[in-house]
Amino acid sequence: MKPRTQLRFLSVALFALWGRAGAETLPPFFVSPALLGPAPAPVAAPAAVEPAPAVAARPAAGAVVKAPRAADKPQPPGRVARGMPPAPAPVQPLKPGTTVITGDKVSGLQDVDAVAEGAAELQRDNTRFQGDKLHYFELTDEVEATGNVRVSRGGDTMSGPHMRTKVEEQVGTFDAPEYVISRPGRPIPPGQILLPGQTVPRSQQPITGHGSAERLELEGENQFRFFNGTWTSCKPERPDWYVRANELQLDYDREVGEAKGGTLVFKGLPLGYLPWADFPLSDSRRSGVLSPTFGTSNKVGVDLSVPYYFNLAPNYDDTLTLRYMGLRGLQVRNEARYVTPAYRGITYLEYLPNDQVEQRSRYAGTIRHDHNFGDGWQGNINFGGISDPKYFTDLSTRLALTSQVNIPRQASLSYSGGGWWNAGALLQSFQTLPDTLTGVRTEPYKRLPQLTLNALRPELPGGTTFHLASEFVSFSHPTQTEGRRLTLYPQLSLPLQTSAFYITPKVGVHATRYDIDYRGTATGDTAQSRSLPIVSVDSGVTFERDASFGGRDFIQTLEPRVYYLYVPYTDQSKIPNFDSGFYDFNFAQIFAENVYTGGDRISNANQVTTALQSRLIDPTTGAETVRAALGQRYYLVDQRVGLYDGAPMRTGKQADLLAAFSATFMPKFQFDTAWQYNPRDNWTERFNVGVRFQPAYARAVSVNWRYKHNYSTDPKSPDGFRDLDISGQWPLWGNWYGVGRYNRNLRDHRLTQGIAGVEYNAGCWVFRGVVQQLVTTSTDVNRSFFFQLEFNGAGSIGSSPLSMLKRNVPGYGKINDGATPYVASDDDEF
């Protein structure tokens, strides 16, 4: 008899002799993989061989280790081999796929089955079955466990009285299980910075759900079907909410849960019956009905929106929303988004067939598309429109929309592949709405088309730099004078720069020609031209020194700057004003060549602008801690070019004095102020001051005060204002947070925008209640109410105020997406 045959015969004989009752008297034993395949050399008889040490993780009276077979013909999965090792050997790491069975008592039949009793355990790779008794069927790779059964695989654990499943295929049944299923969150992006007090955002945390059921059917890896079961993302010891369903399927491949005959239970109270519903098991995108939103306002009454999301592809999607407004009717909205390496865009359309208040149909829409054609070519389309001027004030709660006056409709094409030159083309018009405060409707000119050509060639002979700005634009208007304008502005500069100072003299010629079509009573030459030389010198010096303030080391700078500008006077009263207006007076504008925007008015100038800036810089990080600046313009001649005939002209020698100061004290406290003082009339033109304190995530307070002088004799004129703006988010007590904004017009003693709300973070769910009041016109106010219950991992019910809060409360943080929650005690109540 060959040695290998002898060993196999001995193994069978031992089992025949002791049977199932004899395993408890033997020490754990190990089957070498060499015994299961062709022997490379004769092996000595096993009579003189001592048993190998046990390989079980804990001491046991019996053990079976199944190694992957090395036989010539394929073997069934989970095949168990038994025998004695030929010689003592050190314990080696188990190969992948090896099955280990341990227990206080182990017995079985060769190539048929194995039974472990008393603290029984079967382990294969990262899967572990435990119970009072385990029965492993080798031919079918099934395991049946009874009594205190516990199964763990990766982040999943299940426990109950009985189960039977195929180990490798993960298919089987589990009676009365209690379970916890966990999946890893999204990877943390490189370079992600968390604010103090901020945890890893919820989308990057493990995705965990747990519950119980009468029966569980395992349908493969990541596939679970529960009958009369529950699911929640709360902790097992505090399940404040859960989904209870007759049939509950969890698909972790698609990250979607599906409930049939379900009920959403919150704090022991059923919130609603769900004949069928699906819910997300993560924050990833998926098709299906999104969480409905519910709210109320004085403009639309009851406001209920039900969106359906189409996850068409990873790079494009669509959202169709039905919005029911109690006072106005049913509105349909659709939003389509797409993005590729070459182009991206969004299309938005909403339609109200019959507004029951206005007794007409109403709509709004926007198309935006950005396209990179390659080789330096780029294009853009931005087209929007609404059915009537009152659309935003009646149906929107966004201040940016209710105050919108001009809705752009434009298309552009540009080329920048020339290296030192670029060109562009633009078609632009607007839908003009009346001003919400004054009611005045001012329609700007259309540009049909506007063509531009710009060039920049540095490092020419002598160190000079050539710059060309040119434009052709055709202005169109339904009621006013039209025309075409051609502008050429070649410039030549000589930058002289060192590490400590710079000086840049520049000279250019601004040449413009007009072809005018007069309308109404306006008359004049149809051809007008203007040529102006423009000379400037810009210079500055940077001084640095080491300094110490408050026990901290800094680099302090002192940066004076002087700018001289000369533009001769030319009569421009016969040239129509298509697009010129006043620049906002600030530090950037006082160093500009023209006080007017556009190209129709170029002010005469013989002036000097001086400014002084000082900064404190952290030498280790380079962060700017303090900045202070002071600047003023000095005129050597009076102003002679106005925007229109009879416009008031400046005659003083000094422009307004500008001052600004900003400081960041640690990363928590920021202070910013700016002042514009009129030395001619000895009054303040504008003054802003703001303070922001943000010590940690979801903890921020901002206070801002703004003032602008009113030139009008009417105290209600929009030319001037005095505003106080207070906003913030802060923990109140326990799990409660307060959030709000108070924006008040102090001149009119009127609240412009008010937001007040509370939030409650329970760890696995969040409550938000917010009230907003928004002035939409000089006589109209929109009041909205938002109430939301958000269940982590299963959507939300109510009306979400999140987008509104993020727009209007600086530093706002979603408290269940990063804020460290308060650890509630058993005495805490909602």
Side-chain angles (χ1 to χ4, degrees):
M1 180 179 292
K2 296 182 179 179
R4 189 161 68 95
T5 306
Q6 292 174 350
L7 290 175
R8 284 185 178 271
F9 177 81
L10 177 60
S11 177
V12 175
L14 290 174
F15 273 92
L17 182 59
W18 282 287
R20 296 182 180 272
E24 72 276 8
T25 63
L26 294 177
F29 51 85
F30 173 81
V31 180
S32 173
L35 297 177
L36 305 179
V43 181
V49 176
E50 297 194 2
V55 297
R58 54 177 174 77
V64 175
V65 179
K66 176 260 179 184
R69 297 180 63 89
D72 296 336
K73 60 181 181 179
Q75 300 296 328
R79 189 175 183 86
V80 177
R82 303 170 179 85
M84 301 297 294
V91 177
Q92 299 294 329
L94 299 178
K95 294 183 179 180
T98 300
T99 301
V100 179
I101 302 174
T102 60
D104 296 336
K105 178 180 179 181
V106 178
S107 60
L109 295 177
Q110 174 69 16
D111 296 336
V112 177
D113 63 354
V115 177
E117 299 179 80
E121 181 179 297
L122 182 150
Q123 181 176 358
R124 182 186 299 171
D125 299 333
N126 68 335
T127 303
R128 185 188 302 268
F129 299 85
Q130 296 171 292
D132 294 340
K133 181 178 180 181
L134 290 178
H135 192 168
Y136 177 69
F137 301 91
E138 184 176 353
L139 296 178
T140 59
D141 193 32
E142 286 184 282
V143 60
E144 183 176 11
T146 55
N148 298 314
V149 179
R150 179 180 174 86
V151 180
S152 60
R153 179 185 292 113
D156 303 340
T157 60
M158 302 173 196
S159 59
H162 175 264
M163 61 81 59
R164 180 163 179 158
T165 183
K166 293 187 177 182
V167 180
E168 194 67 28
E169 297 181 14
Q170 302 180 27
V171 175
T173 61
F174 209 126
D175 295 336
E178 295 184 355
Y179 67 93
V180 176
I181 301 175
S182 181
R183 294 294 183 271
R186 298 178 184 174
I188 298 177
Q192 175 174 286
I193 299 176
L194 300 180
L195 294 175
Q198 182 184 12
T199 60
V200 176
R202 185 165 57 88
S203 61
Q204 298 168 12
Q205 297 177 2
I207 305 162
T208 302
H210 78 89
S212 60
E214 289 185 4
R215 189 174 89 258
L216 163 63
E217 289 187 1
L218 299 169
E219 299 179 335
E221 186 177 6
N222 296 322
Q223 305 293 320
F224 307 89
R225 186 181 300 272
F226 300 90
F227 294 90
N228 293 328
T230 63
W231 183 90
T232 180
S233 63
C234 295
K235 294 182 178 180
E237 64 273 12
R238 196 182 176 101
D240 290 341
W241 70 269
Y242 56 89
V243 176
R244 182 177 60 207
N246 296 335
E247 184 177 338
L248 182 64
Q249 183 179 8
L250 305 182
D251 185 344
Y252 282 90
D253 288 329
R254 297 189 300 123
E255 298 179 339
V256 175
E258 180 179 317
K260 297 179 181 179
T263 304
L264 177 62
V265 180
F266 176 67
K267 289 290 184 177
L269 299 176
L271 296 184
Y273 176 69
L274 307 172
W276 176 89
D278 60 356
F279 53 91
L281 298 176
S282 71
D283 291 335
S284 60
R285 298 185 295 127
R286 62 176 183 85
S287 296
V289 178
L290 303 183
S291 299
T293 61
F294 176 82
T296 61
S297 75
N298 63 319
K299 288 288 187 179
V300 303
V302 175
D303 193 348
L304 173 64
S305 295
V306 180
Y308 189 92
Y309 178 75
F310 298 91
N311 186 23
L312 304 176
N315 63 321
Y316 58 91
D317 57 18
D318 187 272
T319 304
L320 179 65
T321 303
L322 298 179
R323 179 189 182 190
Y324 173 75
M325 296 171 283
L327 297 179
R328 299 186 180 270
L330 182 65
Q331 182 189 64
V332 180
R333 297 188 296 186
N334 192 79
E335 178 181 331
R337 305 181 301 174
Y338 55 92
V339 58
T340 72
Y343 57 86
R344 64 177 59 204
I346 180 173
T347 301
Y348 182 86
L349 176 66
E350 55 186 30
Y351 178 66
L352 180 61
N354 181 27
D355 189 330
Q356 298 174 5
V357 176
E358 297 290 331
Q359 298 299 319
R360 58 175 172 173
S361 61
R362 310 180 76 179
Y363 64 85
T366 299
I367 298 175
R368 296 178 183 174
H369 179 85
D370 299 309
H371 204 119
N372 185 349
F373 299 99
D375 298 327
W377 290 93
Q378 291 184 333
N380 169 270
I381 295 176
N382 184 4
F383 187 93
I386 59 177
S387 58
D388 57 274
K390 294 177 58 180
Y391 188 91
F392 289 141
T393 58
D394 287 346
L395 302 179
S396 178
T397 59
R398 293 184 58 177
L399 180 61
L401 292 179
T402 57
S403 59
Q404 189 171 1
V405 175
N406 293 313
I407 302 175
R409 298 174 175 180
Q410 64 185 40
S412 65
L413 181 66
S414 63
Y415 176 75
S416 58
W420 58 274
W421 64 273
N422 62 80
L426 173 70
L427 298 174
Q428 183 185 64
S429 66
F430 299 91
Q431 181 182 6
T432 305
L433 311 177
D435 186 275
T436 57
L437 297 180
T438 65
V440 178
R441 180 177 180 269
T442 304
E443 184 172 352
Y445 276 90
K446 302 175 183 178
R447 299 170 183 263
L448 303 173
Q450 179 185 31
L451 306 176
T452 59
L453 175 64
N454 299 296
L456 179 63
R457 287 298 300 266
E459 300 179 359
L460 292 177
T464 59
T465 297
F466 172 75
H467 181 211
L468 172 66
S470 63
E471 174 196 59
F472 171 80
V473 56
S474 176
F475 294 101
S476 176
H477 199 279
T479 60
Q480 299 183 14
T481 296
E482 299 179 335
R484 289 152 296 282
R485 184 182 70 201
L486 175 64
T487 302
L488 296 175
Y489 183 22
Q491 307 156 60
L492 197 63
S493 61
L494 180 61
L496 303 174
Q497 186 172 358
T498 69
S499 59
F501 74 91
Y502 69 91
I503 180 170
T504 305
K506 186 176 73 170
V507 61
V509 178
H510 198 290
T512 313
R513 179 175 176 82
Y514 289 85
D515 185 8
I516 305 170
D517 299 328
Y518 292 100
R519 286 191 176 182
T521 59
T523 59
D525 295 337
T526 58
Q528 298 285 343
S529 62
R530 177 192 60 198
S531 294
L532 286 171
I534 300 177
V535 179
S536 66
V537 179
D538 192 6
S539 62
V541 183
T542 301
F543 300 97
E544 291 186 358
R545 70 163 186 167
D546 295 331
S548 178
F549 297 94
R552 296 178 58 190
D553 293 331
F554 294 97
I555 297 176
Q556 183 182 11
T557 69
L558 188 65
E559 306 167 49
R561 182 181 179 184
V562 179
Y563 177 75
Y564 173 76
L565 174 68
Y566 173 76
V567 182
Y569 166 75
T570 296
D571 183 14
Q572 303 169 44
S573 59
K574 297 181 180 180
I575 298 176
N577 184 1
F578 295 121
D579 64 354
S580 284
F582 277 108
Y583 271 117
D584 184 38
F585 193 74
N586 51 45
F587 274 100
Q589 194 278 327
I590 62 175
F591 294 97
E593 294 180 350
N594 193 8
V595 298
Y596 300 123
T597 64
D600 295 319
R601 295 294 182 270
I602 300 178
S603 178
N604 63 298
N606 188 6
Q607 60 197 37
V608 178
T609 302
T610 61
L612 182 64
Q613 177 179 261
S614 181
R615 296 180 294 161
L616 291 181
I617 301 174
D618 190 322
T620 58
T621 64
E624 184 179 276
T625 304
V626 176
R627 176 195 290 261
L630 188 68
Q632 190 172 20
R633 179 188 289 165
Y634 300 90
Y635 301 105
L636 305 180
V637 295
D638 292 339
Q639 179 184 6
R640 300 179 62 185
V641 179
L643 282 178
Y644 53 90
D645 292 340
M649 303 291 185
R650 172 198 49 77
T651 57
K653 300 300 181 182
Q654 291 180 316
D656 293 348
L657 177 67
L658 294 177
F661 178 82
S662 63
T664 301
F665 303 101
M666 308 297 286
K668 304 177 181 179
F669 185 84
Q670 296 177 340
F671 176 83
D672 184 80
T673 184
W675 180 44
Q676 179 181 342
Y677 175 73
N678 184 342
R680 302 174 302 279
D681 302 309
N682 296 320
W683 65 46
T684 295
E685 292 284 349
R686 291 188 302 178
F687 181 74
N688 304 330
V689 60
V691 177
R692 180 176 174 182
F693 178 61
Q694 187 172 3
Y697 184 82
R699 292 167 172 84
V701 176
S702 300
V703 180
N704 294 275
W705 187 76
R706 302 186 307 153
Y707 167 82
K708 182 181 179 182
H709 181 75
N710 185 13
Y711 288 95
S712 175
T713 56
D714 180 6
K716 301 296 185 179
S717 170
D719 290 340
F721 55 79
R722 282 180 292 130
D723 286 346
L724 175 65
D725 193 352
I726 304 174
S727 63
Q729 179 188 24
W730 202 263
L732 300 178
W733 66 89
N735 298 31
W736 289 93
Y737 287 73
V739 61
R741 181 178 183 181
Y742 181 82
N743 182 224
R744 187 173 184 82
N745 186 331
L746 300 178
R747 186 193 63 185
D748 299 338
H749 306 287
R750 186 180 186 186
L751 184 66
T752 304
Q753 184 180 31
I755 299 173
V758 292
E759 301 176 287
Y760 181 82
N761 184 10
C764 66
W765 60 272
V766 172
F767 167 77
R768 298 182 179 92
V770 181
V771 180
Q772 179 194 31
Q773 176 173 307
L774 176 66
V775 174
T776 55
T777 67
S778 58
T779 59
D780 206 355
V781 173
N782 189 334
R783 295 184 181 90
S784 304
F785 303 90
F786 303 85
F787 300 96
Q788 182 191 39
L789 271 174
E790 181 179 352
F791 306 103
N792 292 351
S796 63
I797 60 175
S799 180
S800 173
L802 289 176
S803 59
M804 183 269 295
L805 293 175
K806 291 178 180 178
R807 288 194 307 266
N808 296 290
V809 180
Y812 174 81
K814 187 179 178 183
I815 59 176
N816 60 330
D817 196 16
T820 304
Y822 169 74
V823 180
S825 66
D826 294 337
D827 298 329
D828 290 337
E829 294 183 358
F830 173 69

